Amino acid sequence: MTIMLYELAGRDAARPFSPHCWKTVMSLAHKGLEFERSAVPFTGVPEVENRFGKTVPVLRDGDKVISDSFDIALYLEETYPDRPTLFGGEGGVALSRFMEAWSASQIHTTIGGRLLLDIHAMLEPQDQAYFRESREARFGRPLEDVVEAGAERIREFGAKLEPLRLMLKRQPFIGGEGPLFADYIVFGAFQWARVCSAEELLEPDDPVSLWFDRCLDLHAGIGRSVAAAA
Amino acid sequence: MTIMLYELAGRDAARPFSPHCWKTVMSLAHKGLEFERSAVPFTGVPEVENRFGKTVPVLRDGDKVISDSFDIALYLEETYPDRPTLFGGEGGVALSRFMEAWSASQIHTTIGGRLLLDIHAMLEPQDQAYFRESREARFGRPLEDVVEAGAERIREFGAKLEPLRLMLKRQPFIGGEGPLFADYIVFGAFQWARVCSAEELLEPDDPVSLWFDRCLDLHAGIGRSVAAAA
């Protein structure tokens, strides 16, 4: 039975944008697994797989249903050990947790606030209402204000990427000579920005841009198969 | 033949302070290897092991001489594979390069500038002259000015540690349930501050302080065997 991935989308089902779902798309492609993709709107997430959980990605593989992009990567690593590794051993698993925390606290916080109105514009009306209400409750102010405040943080964004830039002087991927799940953790965030917004976050010759381009080329260009926002 | 570690020290040979040398002390202890420590002043570094290189740590193990804390860790991993792992596989090696870049760009840049005068005060006169000249050339201004400018950066230091703090909600060490070289990379920086300066960088109940305490307890408390600066 083909693996099914449920992933977030707006009006256009062909433009999935969730950073976490993209981590799973890349994980599945990395393992060379066949999978189908089912687009789910925000208000449809709680219904997925008999109300399995509160978030996507959700993956069904035969009888198994799993959510959370990191847990899915661990599941794939354990279930398909003969295919290319996503972690390169136990140390890679542990240190990927630091990458996840780095990406969440340094990249998502900066990019995420900036994208709120772009994402809102991509949604159907009932999802727009849910999205505005839930995000305004989370941030404690109107989406418009969060986005405006985000403009300042975007200016500091280049400096936040210095660890990645410094590391890229030594090796082409976070995983070393080739990518690992750690790359997909960070890729997901940049792909989120690429699919939702035409705003350029980085200079094209920034080592981080060049790394992101390499990630877009991976696995028959599955990341590039969704065009950048125009 | 016992392994010999050459490490940086000031007037008091019993208070080695280099962050990179501490990474190697912890690596050797992690592998459970016996080793001797030879204290080297700044002006003595070029003479170590027949002018082997420009920096310490330098390790001699039988006929082999190696410098650079990361290269030494790789050497120990390869040479003593049956002892506790420092990387937990190839993925751990690759991702430790990100940890190294994160620590260098986020922690060393903040702590290092702040410690310049403390380090200067720990040195013999000929090393003080070398240290002031080389660091003032690097920073392009008097040590006193660099330290003063560093006061502002110290105030932002807590925020820079957010990735580590977030990860520590999930696991007690960067290496997961136990420490890996990735922990020692970051430990080295905090130990540098602890040995050189009485200034408290973090609240005692900060998750990063608690993690550092756990690291000080490792390997029969080898990190704690040098008292904190008073």
Side-chain angles (χ1 to χ4, degrees):
Chain A
M1 206 160 82
T2 309
I3 293 171
M4 173 65 82
L5 168 64
Y6 299 91
E7 60 182 333
L8 202 61
R11 240 179 352 261
D12 185 349
R15 296 186 64 73
F17 56 80
S18 151
H20 308 293
C21 296
W22 273 107
K23 294 179 200 173
T24 300
V25 169
M26 297 299 275
S27 301
L28 287 161
H30 184 99
K31 284 282 184 192
L33 295 162
E34 297 281 323
F35 61 103
E36 285 180 31
R37 302 167 70 164
S38 175
V40 182
F42 272 107
T43 51
V45 168
E47 308 303 324
V48 164
E49 285 286 345
N50 298 313
R51 307 188 70 78
F52 182 76
K54 290 181 179 165
T55 59
V56 283
V58 167
L59 190 87
R60 170 173 283 284
D61 184 15
D63 291 341
K64 283 289 267 188
V65 183
I66 316 113
S67 66
D68 182 276
S69 60
F70 205 115
D71 287 344
I72 292 171
L74 291 171
Y75 165 80
L76 295 174
E77 189 77 347
E78 191 184 320
T79 310
Y80 303 99
D82 297 337
R83 290 167 177 265
T85 179
L86 283 163
F87 292 103
E90 286 303 307
V93 172
L95 271 65
S96 291
R97 289 296 188 184
F98 182 83
M99 290 307 308
E100 185 180 51
W102 180 73
S103 186
S105 64
Q106 306 300 300
I107 307 191
H108 281 238
T109 47
T110 305
I111 290 182
R114 193 73 188 143
L115 294 179
L116 288 170
L117 291 174
D118 299 299
I119 296 170
H120 187 266
M122 294 169 78
L123 306 179
E124 295 282 10
Q126 72 272 22
D127 293 305
Q128 288 185 328
Y130 160 81
F131 185 76
R132 181 176 285 278
E133 191 180 0
S134 61
R135 268 51 179 180
E136 294 190 345
R138 183 189 298 173
F139 290 102
R141 47 190 172 158
L143 295 186
E144 288 74 8
D145 292 3
V146 181
V147 170
E148 202 181 306
E152 273 178 50
R153 264 188 285 177
I154 284 285
R155 278 194 288 276
E156 297 160 9
F157 186 54
K160 290 196 169 178
L161 300 175
E162 197 52 28
L164 187 51
R165 209 172 280 127
L166 190 57
M167 187 217 72
L168 288 167
K169 287 186 184 176
R170 180 177 291 277
Q171 56 195 32
F173 292 99
I174 302 170
E177 288 305 309
L180 290 175
F181 184 61
D183 289 273
Y184 306 145
I185 289 171
V186 184
F187 170 82
F190 281 97
Q191 176 77 331
W192 186 29
R194 177 179 170 272
V195 172
C196 295
S197 162
E199 183 179 19
E200 293 290 348
L201 295 173
L202 300 170
E203 296 297 322
D205 61 348
D206 189 309
V208 177
S209 299
L210 301 175
W211 161 83
F212 183 57
D213 276 342
R214 286 195 290 279
C215 289
L216 287 169
D217 288 337
L218 292 168
H219 316 312
I222 194 166
R224 222 184 273 286
S225 67
V226 176
Chain B
M1 208 159 83
T2 308
I3 292 171
M4 174 65 81
L5 169 64
Y6 298 91
E7 60 182 333
L8 202 61
R11 235 179 355 259
D12 185 348
R15 297 185 63 74
F17 58 80
S18 152
H20 308 294
C21 295
W22 273 107
K23 295 179 200 173
T24 299
V25 169
M26 296 300 274
S27 301
L28 288 161
H30 183 99
K31 285 283 183 192
L33 294 163
E34 298 281 324
F35 61 104
E36 286 180 30
R37 301 167 73 164
S38 174
V40 182
F42 271 107
T43 51
V45 169
E47 307 303 324
V48 165
E49 286 287 346
N50 299 313
R51 307 188 71 79
F52 182 75
K54 290 180 180 166
T55 59
V56 283
V58 168
L59 191 87
R60 169 172 284 282
D61 185 14
D63 290 341
K64 283 288 268 190
V65 183
I66 316 113
S67 66
D68 182 276
S69 60
F70 205 116
D71 287 345
I72 291 171
L74 290 171
Y75 165 80
L76 295 174
E77 189 76 347
E78 192 184 320
T79 310
Y80 302 99
D82 297 337
R83 289 166 178 264
T85 178
L86 284 163
F87 293 103
E90 285 303 307
V93 172
L95 271 66
S96 291
R97 289 297 187 183
F98 182 84
M99 291 306 307
E100 184 180 52
W102 180 74
S103 185
S105 65
Q106 306 299 301
I107 306 189
H108 281 237
T109 47
T110 305
I111 290 182
R114 193 72 188 143
L115 295 179
L116 288 170
L117 290 175
D118 298 300
I119 296 170
H120 187 265
M122 294 170 78
L123 306 179
E124 295 280 12
Q126 73 272 24
D127 293 304
Q128 287 186 327
Y130 161 81
F131 185 75
R132 181 175 286 278
E133 190 179 2
S134 61
R135 268 48 179 182
E136 294 191 346
R138 183 189 298 173
F139 291 102
R141 49 190 171 157
L143 295 186
E144 287 74 8
D145 292 3
V146 181
V147 170
E148 201 182 307
E152 275 178 49
R153 264 189 286 179
I154 284 284
R155 277 193 288 277
E156 298 160 10
F157 187 54
K160 290 198 170 178
L161 300 175
E162 197 50 29
L164 187 52
R165 210 172 279 129
L166 190 57
M167 186 217 72
L168 288 167
K169 288 185 183 178
R170 180 177 290 279
Q171 57 195 31
F173 291 99
I174 303 170
E177 289 305 309
L180 291 174
F181 184 62
D183 289 273
Y184 306 145
I185 289 171
V186 185
F187 170 82
F190 282 96
Q191 178 76 332
W192 186 28
R194 177 179 170 275
V195 173
C196 295
S197 161
E199 183 179 19
E200 292 290 346
L201 294 172
L202 300 170
E203 297 296 322
D205 61 348
D206 188 308
V208 177
S209 299
L210 301 175
W211 161 83
F212 183 57
D213 276 342
R214 287 194 290 279
C215 290
L216 286 169
D217 288 337
L218 292 169
H219 315 313
I222 193 166
R224 223 183 273 286
S225 67
V226 177

